[in-house]
Amino acid sequence: MRLTRYFLPVLRETPSEAQIVSHRYMLRAGMIKQASAGIYSWLPLGYKVLRRIEQIVHEEQVRAGHIPMLMPTLQSADLWRESGRYDDYGQEMLRVSDRHGRDMLYGPTNEELITDIFRSHVSSYKDLPLTLYHIQWKFRDEIRPRFGVMRGREFLMKDGYNFDLTKDDALHAYNRHLVSYLRTYERMGLQAIPMRADGGPIGGDYTHEFLVLADTGESEVFYDAEITDLKFGDRAIDYDSVEACQAVLEEFTSRYARTDETHDEAVFAEVPEARRRVARGIEVGQIFYFGTKYSEAMGATVQGPDGAQVPVHMGSHGIGVSRLLGAIIEANHDENGIIWPEGVTPFHCGIVNLKQGDDDADAACESLYQALVGKGLEPLYDDRNERAGGKFATMDLIGLPWRITVGPRGLKNGVVELTSRRTGESEELPPEAAVAKVAAIYEGR
Ligand code: 5CA
């Protein structure tokens, strides 16, 4: 993409309404624009990152054996009356009626809709296990939408639902989700710690939230510092193996880590004092096992091996896809702007032409651009007639992990400059070597 042909409405001033750094940078980098309280338009740069995050979520869900689909945003109130949640959900639910006076709602989550699909089409245990998921916009009329996409009213969520014959099978589905979430967040450059939490309006008392530690997080968390040393990494995992998934769950949840809702001072006191941490975190996902809560209320039964009808065991599993942008920026920035992890960056590499209009510099930038595209990468070429300082400031703000700077002086010596956004370190290289190095960094991503 050439910057002169792109839509990147960067702001010079820091918007006064933004209280935390991720919100400020998302507005300043022209990623989002507020449409009304807690509701945002996703401008091209923000939309690009959102799509990258979605893609990682999809890939890891499919890898775990979960099946993608899509349900609507608007739902009929009748299903929610069956589960009893139409009244329980309260003012967070946006209720509307259609021209015939039928009660509808903008889905805050989808347990009812998916259970209705399940009961319409599945009648035998032989069709289990089954996990379906989608990535769809949700609406919760939050009392205090704030911090930009972090606590929105309209937000993008991945929500998945497992259907199993027995509790043990459903717990395996729970563990599979835990493993796939660890992989998902790590691919985005985040450490998200599973912590014992509360079921809230979804229900069930077996649930973990995934928290990214950050001072600006809304949740208070209590944990054993040892847990921050754990990494899933790129180890192979067989998602069909009950033992393998259970072992990961045990590894990642055996140390004390709880949100304030489930915190227990007496148990926490057993953690050696030097390792006890009280901090804040951003909840980027939550997994639930809630048994037969919805299947019993809504008659989602299957014929078991002995011929009897039994309600299925279920759980639901959410990832805050749009919230993740905020969380990633909170964890990856400096005073000049965002520092995207390579896994989610909107463009792989920036190209800064120090002397636009200089024949040699223009030609070198063009050929770098083509060479990067030829390697399957997406560069962002700042081809504006701007001072170098302005171009660097924009690149720093939008946070591309790598920048190639091209100027007449370097070209005389046959080199361009490759700079890491994260470390600030630069090296001079022949253009082909710079392209090869950037391509190698992204190989396999
Ligand atoms: N049905 C279950 C799991 S699919 C569910 O709705 N879980 S949830 O309530 O925990 O939401 C899942 C994730 O959505 C949360 O972990 C959080 O990351 C994200 N989320 C929840 N509320 C908001 C909000 N107001 N703004 C942005 N993201 C949100």
Side-chain angles (χ1 to χ4, degrees), residues 89 108-111 140 142 149-161 202 283-286 288 316-323:
Y89 223 93
T109 173
N110 281 48
E111 280 79 5
R140 293 182 186 173
E142 300 277 352
V149 299
M150 208 76 104
R151 180 160 296 278
R153 292 198 297 165
E154 188 187 49
F155 59 96
L156 191 59
M157 191 204 284
K158 170 258 153 183
D159 40 326
Y161 304 86
I202 309 295
E283 179 205 327
V284 290
Q286 187 165 4
F288 300 82
S316 69
H317 314 277
I319 292 182
V321 173
S322 49
R323 176 178 286 182

Side-chain angles (χ1 to χ4, degrees), residues 292-321:
T292 56
K293 172 176 169 173
Y294 297 90
S295 54
E296 277 193 57
M298 296 179 66
T301 61
V302 292
Q303 189 170 45
D306 57 2
Q309 288 290 323
V310 286
V312 286
H313 286 258
M314 292 174 58
S316 69
H317 314 277
I319 292 182
V321 173

